[in-house]
Amino acid sequence: MDILVCVKRVPMSGGRFVLTEDGRDIETKRLGFTISPHEECAVEEAVRLVEANGGTVTVLALGVSESAEQIREQMAIGADRGIVLETDGAEWDPQATADAIASAVQRDETFFDLVMFGNESADSSGYQVGIRVAHQLGLPVVAGLKSVSVTDGVVRAERPAGTGKEVFEVPLPAVVTVREGLNLPRYPSVPGRIRAKKKPIVVHEVSRPPARLNKVRLELPADQGKRVEILGHGVEAAPEVVGMFRKIGVIS
Amino acid sequence: MSALPSTAKAVIIGAGIVGNSMAYHLARLGWTNLVQIDKGPLPNPGGSTGHASNFIFPVDHSKEMAALTFDSVAQYKDLGVFTECGGIEVARTQERMQELQRRMTSAKSWGVGDVSIVSPAEVKELVPYIDESVIVGGFYTKGVGVVDSLRAGTLMREKAQEMGALTVGANVEVTGMTVEDGRIKTVHTNSGDIDTEYVVIACGVWSPHLAEMAGAKIPLTPAVHQMMDIGPTPRFADAKGDIEFPIVRDMDTNMYERQHGTGLEIGSYAHRPILYDPDDLPSVEEASLSPTEFPFTPDDFELQLEQSLELMPEIVGDETVGQKYAINGLLSLTPDGMPILGEAPEVQGLWSVAAVWIKEGPGIGRAVAEWMALGQSEIDLHASDIARFYDHQKTREHIKQRTAEGFNKTYGIVHPGEQWASNRGVRVSPYYSRQQELGAQFYEAVGWERPQWYSSNESLLTEYGDRVMPRPAEWESRWWSPIINAEHLAMRDRAGIVDLTAFAVFDVVGPGALDALQQIALRQMDVNVGKVVYTPVLGANGGFKSDLTIMRLGDEQFRVVTGGAHGMADKKWFADRMPADGSAVLTDLTSALTTIGIWGPRARDIVSTLTSADVSHDGFGFGTCRRVEMGPLEVLASRISYVGELGWELYVPMEQGARLWDLLWEAATPHGAVPVGIGVYGTTGRLEKGYRAYGAELESEFTVVEAGMSPPKVKSADFIGKEAYLRHRDEDPAAILCTLTVEDHQGPGGQLRYMMGGEPIVAKDGSSLIDSHGRRSYVTSAGSGPSVGKHLLMSYLPSEQAVVGGELMVEYLGHTYPVTVATVGAQPLFDPKNERILS
């Protein structure tokens, strides 16, 4: 099966953000870049599905040319092809993004059985692009998924609902948007990275249609950034540390 | 944390390995009211210490670095944070194998034991996951280890606190500093102001930023070195500790690989230099990991992935082993690769302890604390002294160019004579164009372009034939030319014109000048006007701080002349000791004067055509100076000689230098004089005469008596180091500086080999020579002695070995060569009665 996974290059978080002088953007000159954890799970799932069923994984990003960096990262864990829809770096609203992605899917020589998205991007968290793309392509879409499997051309998709879960069966071709927790993404190996360098990435320049959503500015919340809490000193800290591990789910 | 006091004896800024070490050692030496602050949290404030690879290879070509590392390892062991794992520097090329032999040589000279050259098969036994077909051999050091530097620093800081000497403030940021009358006064922080006598800047990559607040310069740059962690790997699955296999330095690729628990850490110094501005680092809050851990740039590591895969395919090629962590880690780089230690020349009381690596951290903490608290460190720090820099070396551009050039040489094969390629041509003599016309081969010294030899002298090679002692082996003929030796012979036969413009020159003037200089110089300074005094300058321990000449130009005017290399450090030494009441003032004339030397048997013939002044031996005695007219120039002529010939140093204002050169040239060449380069002035001339050089033979570790430079009488006036010096005169010296000749140069394959300096001198049975103070014999200077027809080596020998005619060996690149003790002490080998100088 041939799968397309769409990702977005976003700044790495972890420290306090600094805004540009005009307050419209995050100052990124000292930041690293990545994709959202939802998207990482999407790629991992795609790679697993293709490992099991044969086929290819294509990773697509709409953004600056450096998005190829993120695509290479995904190639290092097993994606086969990349597509960059190269923009000038301006922010695209979800409709325009979905338009461009849908066009690229239709144009592509590969017929994609499954198109996967992270549920929302890590920066703007629009939560719209996957659904809009499905609509434009006339494909069924299920969002917010924590489990995906494929048997005989049918996707079994699960997502939490209260204390239970909803289960969908969707015939391919289909679109799914997935959430972190879907799986545990693998780390790239060195041979994987080396192979990734030789895999093809195609670049198409795209221009932004007139914007229907305009970002005015960003505002930093009051208490952003890291906080350090000393759990204790020496041996006395042990119970606190164990409690913390339980709290974050490292141990049960 | 306790509230910060408003006054302190010393404020230590920085809680990395260096700051913590400083706090402990200052407290140990009795200082109290210490305050240590860091803008980051504790125990890991987020500097280079926090992400360091933490391994220590004790062998270094630099004696100073080896000593500091040795001391650091001892301290880490005392703190219980040292894990020995062994280390192997592997070679992929034969050229590297020779360099590994040099490592063996340095190991022996500085006393690092348990080292050996190993074969690929032996490397494989030690590091089973290596592909030994990729290497041709290795240099194994058993004593290599890994330390927990964070823990070490924490323990040291806590010890200082336990002594009641130290208050610590984390998350305290320095916002400014106040300097009053040239001395540090106050540190301003976001938690209040602290009036303090001393400030210690131990801020790693932020050090220049802090120094600037006080109006001082610390010339380093933050720079990236990439690190990646992959794992877990089956090979280390049963790892009980941090490291159980030796660390591998893949020298030819500028990389290292070390076990890190269950994974493998791969580091690289091979990428393009990535430098940052110290003012442009993220804050602790902004940084995702820490301010010194920048996002990894995978493009810069592409080749390194392949090379580490080549070397360790078992682990690196394993598809199940994932890359967990990768950063562009920041460390500090300096223009000459040495740390930056000491009191800033611009601001009294402001001390720099910057550009220090984990492997020398505690040792440097101890040494600088001793320097601060006792006035002198046990380990000589002259190569790391912050005072060494000239103004142009502190510019951003110079720092950027040299650190970029030096970065990729981190594991490089750096020839002892190798010249920098970047940022040349900054300081040129007034007769530079003349020198260019003569085909001068310019070498750089503290920015000065100095002719090492002149291509125009190539015809001398035919004249002197084999007496120029050619060198058939590539290594020691690199950055060298037999023309040097030809110039030497021509100078001794006729005369030589020598460019000495790189001297550092400063005047000490005033009613208090004599007293001030009496205190500093070992020799008697109350001499007649017109006398030139060559004198050692001692530290309090009676070891060498410098050696230089001082001319008495007037009752209240003295001119100090010293070699350019240590000129600025010497200047600070003198400036610090000028009387507080201003009765003596120091003025730097380095850029105001230029000097040309004219030496050789025909020097008087030449000079007498230039001036009507009486330059006969009786009229112008040796060791005197006076102003004479030469053509339209007024010249300060000084009759001394570092090459051991009749002749003078001629000083004129810089702008008249070209004219002086032309005058000399016109007068000298008909007498057969030739231009002579620093190859002669700095090496061949002085070795034949037994003249010592600071930084080579003369260091704080050796006494005046051991250096064989003790005059018969001691002046009654007091001077720095006198007490120790008198003691040394009473004792039998443990070692004596000797000159040795190489008897047989035949190396492996019959090729003649010539030593270059730093090699161990050993007994005929190969055993090391160690004196009663534990100091090993090694070659302090080496070079050709064309007039005596021998290759000459200087070395301190244990007293019982210091016997003329004694037969010993020198170890060079893995082989031993017989040497003979030719002179003991300062007795010259050539012209022992100094007839030429005194003619």
Side-chain angles (χ1 to χ4, degrees):
Chain A
M1 48 186 309
D2 294 314
I3 306 179
L4 176 72
V5 185
C6 298
V7 303
K8 183 182 181 188
R9 172 182 165 93
V10 296
M12 259 186 214
S13 63
R16 185 181 64 202
F17 285 119
V18 177
L19 298 181
T20 53
E21 287 237 11
D22 59 8
R24 289 177 54 103
D25 289 298
I26 295 171
E27 177 57 75
T28 61
K29 72 172 183 213
R30 294 205 200 99
L31 298 180
F33 290 87
T34 184
I35 60 179
S36 81
H38 307 308
E39 288 163 357
E40 282 179 349
C41 288
V43 176
E44 172 66 29
E45 199 62 41
V47 170
R48 288 186 192 183
L49 285 169
V50 164
E51 277 171 348
N53 299 298
T56 62
V57 176
T58 303
V59 176
L60 177 149
L62 181 138
V64 294
S65 62
E66 289 88 343
S67 303
E69 204 182 280
Q70 275 56 58
I71 294 180
R72 290 271 174 229
E73 291 283 320
Q74 307 320 311
M75 286 169 156
I77 68 157
D80 304 290
R81 267 179 80 215
I83 302 171
V84 176
L85 302 178
E86 188 181 320
T87 71
D88 62 0
E91 180 126 352
W92 283 42
D93 61 76
Q95 282 169 306
T97 305
D99 251 354
I101 292 177
S103 302
V105 170
Q106 282 162 335
R107 271 198 327 257
D108 203 280
E109 70 221 7
T110 306
F111 177 81
F112 297 110
D113 301 290
L114 187 60
V115 181
M116 301 180 71
F117 291 82
N119 213 52
E120 66 260 28
S121 69
D123 55 357
S124 49
S125 298
Y127 198 176
Q128 298 180 34
V129 173
I131 295 166
R132 287 183 183 274
V133 168
H135 179 74
Q136 256 193 273
L137 295 175
L139 296 178
V141 57
V142 195
L145 301 177
K146 280 295 191 81
S147 168
V148 167
S149 58
V150 177
T151 320
D152 293 332
V154 174
V155 178
R156 181 188 163 88
E158 293 181 11
R159 68 183 183 197
T163 51
K165 64 181 176 188
E166 291 175 345
V167 180
F168 297 84
E169 285 182 351
V170 189
L172 297 179
V175 175
V176 295
T177 84
V178 302
R179 302 190 58 187
E180 192 181 10
L182 179 76
N183 55 41
L184 195 60
R186 72 194 73 183
Y187 290 102
S189 68
V190 171
R193 286 194 164 279
I194 293 177
R195 280 194 300 268
K197 280 187 305 180
K198 303 198 187 72
K199 295 177 180 176
I201 297 182
V202 154
V203 178
H204 300 296
E205 274 182 37
V206 290
S207 38
R208 187 167 75 127
R212 290 157 60 168
L213 256 184
N214 272 314
K215 178 174 57 174
V216 175
R217 66 181 161 80
L218 298 174
E219 228 175 64
L220 291 175
D223 68 65
Q224 217 202 126
K226 298 184 287 215
R227 253 180 34 246
V228 175
E229 192 187 319
I230 307 274
L231 297 176
H233 290 90
V235 178
E236 286 87 58
E240 292 287 329
V241 174
V242 172
M244 179 57 66
F245 283 164
R246 287 218 170 88
K247 189 165 155 201
I248 62 177
V250 173
I251 57 179
S252 46
Chain B
M1 309 284 175
S2 19
L4 292 183
S6 56
T7 61
K9 169 110 177 156
V11 175
I12 300 165
I13 310 176
I17 186 65
V18 178
N20 290 327
S21 189
M22 287 296 302
Y24 166 64
H25 286 289
L26 283 173
R28 184 182 56 83
L29 291 169
W31 280 29
T32 56
N33 291 335
L34 301 170
V35 176
Q36 183 183 21
I37 55 179
D38 197 299
K39 68 174 184 169
L42 292 176
N44 180 359
S48 303
T49 301
H51 70 261
S53 352
N54 277 326
F55 59 79
I56 301 181
F57 276 68
V59 177
D60 200 300
H61 290 315
S62 153
K63 176 181 173 183
E64 188 167 317
M65 294 311 289
L68 291 166
T69 303
F70 187 83
D71 188 60
S72 298
V73 168
Q75 290 191 45
Y76 282 125
K77 285 181 175 169
D78 279 344
L79 291 165
V81 300
F82 184 90
T83 304
E84 188 179 284
C85 57
I88 312 179
E89 297 177 353
V90 298
R92 296 194 186 212
T93 65
Q94 282 304 328
E95 199 195 346
R96 178 67 57 173
M97 285 307 294
Q98 177 182 272
E99 172 64 19
L100 296 185
Q101 281 290 349
R102 286 186 67 216
R103 310 287 282 170
M104 282 288 288
T105 299
S106 290
K108 193 141 186 186
S109 291
W110 315 141
V112 180
D114 281 328
V115 291
S116 52
I117 299 283
V118 290
S119 67
E122 286 167 320
V123 173
K124 178 83 173 181
E125 266 178 68
L126 293 158
V127 185
Y129 45 88
I130 214 172
D131 178 357
E132 78 273 31
S133 70
V134 168
I135 59 176
V136 299
F139 169 62
Y140 175 54
T141 307
K142 183 167 175 295
V144 167
V146 156
V147 298
D148 186 341
S149 55
L150 212 46
R151 182 105 190 97
T154 304
L155 287 171
M156 288 193 280
R157 182 178 67 248
E158 287 174 355
K159 281 195 196 195
Q161 285 173 298
E162 279 159 35
M163 288 188 235
L166 176 70
T167 311
V168 178
N171 304 112
V172 174
E173 184 163 358
V174 176
T175 53
M177 294 198 220
T178 297
V179 172
E180 211 169 83
D181 291 330
R183 194 178 174 95
I184 190 70
K185 181 165 182 300
T186 311
V187 176
H188 305 281
T189 80
N190 58 3
S191 291
D193 296 344
I194 311 172
D195 284 337
T196 179
E197 219 184 308
Y198 295 92
V199 168
V200 177
I201 298 180
C203 306
V205 295
W206 288 275
S207 299
H209 179 70
L210 273 299
E212 217 169 310
M213 289 182 189
K217 283 196 176 181
I218 293 180
L220 63 81
T221 180
V224 165
H225 109 275
Q226 294 195 305
M227 303 159 64
M228 172 183 284
D229 262 350
I230 63 176
T233 174
R235 171 65 72 172
F236 303 147
D238 297 325
K240 306 276 181 309
D242 191 32
I243 185 163
E244 285 148 12
F245 288 94
I247 300 170
V248 173
R249 274 180 164 171
D250 190 358
M251 305 300 280
D252 292 306
T253 61
N254 254 306
M255 297 177 63
Y256 64 81
E257 286 93 359
R258 60 151 286 192
Q259 175 186 8
H260 205 169
T262 56
L264 185 76
E265 177 185 317
I266 306 170
S268 157
Y269 302 98
H271 48 82
R272 67 193 163 104
I274 305 171
L275 309 180
Y276 283 89
D277 193 308
D279 293 332
D280 197 28
L281 302 175
S283 68
V284 172
E285 294 74 34
E286 284 162 24
S288 178
L289 289 169
S290 78
T292 53
E293 290 168 279
F294 274 50
F296 184 68
T297 51
D299 287 347
D300 293 307
F301 208 79
E302 266 184 32
L303 180 60
Q304 283 63 51
L305 286 180
E306 314 223 10
Q307 288 173 330
S308 60
L309 177 62
E310 252 178 10
L311 190 68
M312 298 184 175
E314 179 202 296
I315 296 178
V316 182
D318 186 341
E319 305 264 0
T320 70
V321 175
Q323 171 212 313
K324 293 276 184 64
Y325 166 83
I327 55 160
N328 283 15
L330 286 198
L331 40 68
S332 301
L333 294 181
T334 64
D336 56 8
M338 292 297 288
I340 300 180
L341 313 175
E343 187 182 51
E346 304 98 322
V347 180
Q348 288 178 342
L350 187 77
W351 284 71
S352 166
V353 201
V356 177
W357 294 43
I358 296 294
K359 75 179 201 308
E360 63 255 8
I364 283 184
R366 176 168 87 89
V368 177
E370 286 169 353
W371 194 356
M372 287 179 75
L374 308 173
Q376 179 149 31
S377 58
E378 191 185 325
I379 296 175
D380 190 324
L381 298 176
H382 72 265
S384 312
D385 190 343
I386 189 176
R388 70 188 184 273
F389 294 106
Y390 285 78
D391 284 346
H392 83 274
Q393 294 171 313
K394 302 190 235 184
T395 61
R396 274 192 153 87
E397 189 60 26
H398 180 82
I399 298 170
K400 186 170 123 188
Q401 290 201 27
R402 288 291 163 95
T403 53
E405 191 182 345
F407 174 70
N408 293 126
K409 295 186 193 182
T410 305
Y411 288 171
I413 299 174
V414 183
H415 190 276
E418 187 164 308
Q419 292 293 301
W420 291 99
S422 64
N423 203 28
R424 294 290 297 269
V426 176
R427 304 171 85 183
V428 298
S429 72
Y431 23 89
Y432 183 68
S433 57
R434 301 284 185 262
Q435 294 167 330
Q436 284 176 308
E437 285 159 26
L438 293 165
Q441 296 303 304
F442 290 103
Y443 280 25
E444 181 225 333
V446 290
W448 284 104
E449 296 295 330
R450 302 191 302 177
Q452 187 72 358
W453 72 87
Y454 294 82
S455 304
S456 62
N457 288 323
E458 205 172 320
S459 52
L460 296 175
L461 292 176
T462 333
E463 195 182 321
Y464 288 106
D466 272 339
R467 291 182 65 200
V468 302
M469 301 171 71
R471 297 177 183 181
E474 192 278 330
W475 180 250
E476 53 257 24
S477 66
R478 210 192 279 188
W479 300 105
W480 181 82
S481 168
I483 295 178
I484 295 171
N485 293 345
E487 287 175 4
H488 171 106
L489 292 165
M491 177 187 72
R492 292 224 192 278
D493 277 350
R494 291 108 69 170
I497 302 170
V498 187
D499 170 4
L500 299 170
T501 202
F503 277 155
V505 181
F506 46 91
D507 276 7
V508 177
V509 176
L514 174 61
D515 283 344
L517 293 176
Q518 279 285 44
Q519 268 293 308
I520 296 171
L522 178 144
R523 292 270 193 170
Q524 176 62 256
M525 290 311 307
D526 194 0
V527 297
N528 291 334
V529 172
K531 183 104 178 78
V532 183
V533 179
Y534 165 67
T535 177
V537 171
L538 305 187
N541 72 340
F544 282 85
K545 255 334 259 181
S546 187
D547 75 317
L548 36 79
T549 60
I550 306 181
M551 297 183 260
R552 188 165 199 173
L553 300 181
D555 287 331
E556 297 184 354
Q557 183 188 12
F558 295 79
R559 179 156 295 168
V560 181
V561 180
T562 180
H566 298 279
M568 295 301 278
D570 287 342
K571 176 175 142 184
K572 182 177 193 312
W573 184 263
F574 278 72
D576 284 348
R577 286 155 186 84
M578 290 296 109
D581 63 2
S583 57
V585 170
L586 184 149
T587 310
D588 189 342
L589 298 175
T590 301
S591 297
L593 298 170
T594 184
T595 314
I596 306 179
I598 174 80
W599 291 296
R602 307 209 183 136
R604 180 172 288 119
D605 297 337
I606 292 163
V607 167
S608 57
T609 68
L610 286 169
T611 181
S612 55
D614 182 358
V615 295
S616 68
H617 178 62
D618 291 326
F620 197 147
F622 177 76
T624 66
C625 62
R626 72 189 60 161
R627 295 193 185 282
V628 299
E629 287 185 6
M630 291 185 174
L633 308 178
E634 194 185 72
V635 179
L636 174 63
S638 171
R639 190 180 158 192
I640 59 169
S641 170
Y642 196 53
V643 295
E645 290 291 328
L646 164 68
W648 288 264
E649 288 177 357
L650 304 174
Y651 296 74
V652 291
M654 188 71 77
E655 72 273 10
Q656 298 173 11
R659 189 60 185 269
L660 178 64
W661 179 278
D662 287 343
L663 278 171
L664 261 177
W665 187 263
E666 211 186 298
T669 39
H671 290 270
V674 296
V676 166
I678 304 299
V680 173
Y681 183 78
T683 305
T684 62
R686 73 172 184 90
L687 282 181
E688 286 186 345
K689 295 299 293 182
Y691 295 157
R692 286 83 164 93
Y694 180 74
E697 289 72 47
L698 309 181
E699 294 185 337
S700 70
E701 192 179 33
F702 299 106
T703 72
V704 180
V705 176
E706 288 166 340
M709 291 167 64
S710 201
K713 293 200 289 206
V714 184
K715 70 184 183 190
S716 53
D718 194 25
F719 58 89
I720 299 167
K722 182 176 187 180
E723 196 188 306
Y725 176 53
L726 289 172
R727 238 188 310 116
H728 296 150
R729 285 172 72 98
D730 276 338
E731 298 162 350
D732 289 326
I736 305 179
L737 183 59
C738 300
T739 302
L740 301 94
T741 54
V742 180
E743 297 311 321
D744 183 351
H745 289 270
Q746 286 229 12
Q751 194 180 45
L752 300 182
R753 303 308 306 258
Y754 292 82
M755 302 80 217
M756 297 174 55
E759 299 90 359
I761 301 288
V762 299
K764 284 176 95 163
D765 64 5
S767 55
S768 297
L769 298 181
I770 309 177
D771 72 16
S772 58
H773 293 173
R775 297 172 302 189
R776 291 164 176 265
S777 293
Y778 66 93
V779 177
T780 56
S781 295
S784 309
S787 302
V788 298
K790 290 274 187 166
H791 197 67
L792 302 175
L793 313 174
M794 277 195 188
S795 175
Y796 286 88
L797 299 177
S799 306
E800 54 286 6
Q801 304 285 352
V803 178
V804 174
E807 290 176 0
L808 300 166
M809 310 280 271
V810 64
E811 228 177 79
Y812 178 52
L813 295 178
H815 291 267
T816 51
Y817 301 81
V819 296
T820 306
V821 181
T823 76
V824 173
Q827 176 79 340
L829 200 54
F830 177 75
D831 182 20
K833 297 215 190 80
N834 292 321
E835 284 166 22
R836 290 178 171 238
I837 299 180
L838 299 172
S839 60

